[in-house]
Amino acid sequence: MQNRLDRLLDSGALLGFTVRVREDSEPNLIKAIMSIEVMGKSTTQVIQKLRGMPELVKLHTTNGKWDLVAEIQVTSLQEFDISLRKVRSIDGITNSETSLLLSSV
C-alpha cells in the first residue's frame, strides 16, 4: 500500500493528504463563518494573508455583497476574538460579518 501511495505522490496524481474528523469528535470546538468584503483589486494579497492563519480552516471566493467566506475553528472565545481582530486588521479588508455556528441540524 505504501509503495502505491509513494508512486501516486511521485507522479503528481496525488498532491497530498488531509484528515477529516467526525463533527462530534471535538464538541468544545468553536466554529464560525465569516463573510469578508475586499477593497478593489487586493483580493490576491488578502487571500495570501488569510491562508497563513491556521484557524481559518477553509476559504472560499463567492459572489454578491461578500467577496470571500472563511470557515473558522478555534478552541476558546479568546482565540476567536483574537482571530477576528487579526482578520479585520488585514489591509484590503473593508468589511466583515461573522456568525457563530451553534449546532448542526
Side-chain angles (χ1 to χ4, degrees):
M1 180 70 160
Q2 185 62 46
N3 289 336
R4 177 161 167 69
L5 289 174
D6 290 339
R7 283 193 311 273
L8 288 169
L9 284 167
D10 291 342
S11 73
L14 288 179
L15 299 176
F17 299 90
T18 186
V19 175
R20 291 178 47 204
V21 296
R22 290 184 3 206
E23 291 224 4
D24 60 351
S25 67
E26 297 187 68
N28 296 323
L29 200 61
I30 297 168
K31 298 177 184 179
I33 297 293
M34 176 183 259
S35 301
I36 302 167
E37 183 179 20
V38 178
M39 175 178 46
K41 298 180 181 182
S42 58
T43 303
T44 301
Q45 293 85 352
V46 168
I47 289 172
Q48 287 174 347
K49 290 181 182 174
L50 292 172
R51 280 188 177 158
M53 297 178 63
E55 60 271 33
L56 272 61
V57 295
K58 289 188 182 177
L59 187 61
H60 311 274
T61 58
T62 188
N63 66 330
K65 177 181 177 181
W66 304 105
D67 301 300
L68 302 168
V69 174
E71 295 181 39
I72 301 170
Q73 291 184 3
V74 293
T75 57
S76 70
L77 288 176
Q78 181 180 13
E79 188 180 352
F80 180 70
D81 184 43
I82 291 167
S83 298
L84 294 182
R85 281 189 269 136
K86 282 176 22 182
V87 169
R88 291 175 178 156
S89 70
I90 294 173
D91 287 336
I93 292 180
T94 56
N95 194 13
S96 67
E97 182 177 314
T98 306
S99 297
L100 286 170
L101 301 177
L102 301 176
S103 63
S104 296
V105 293

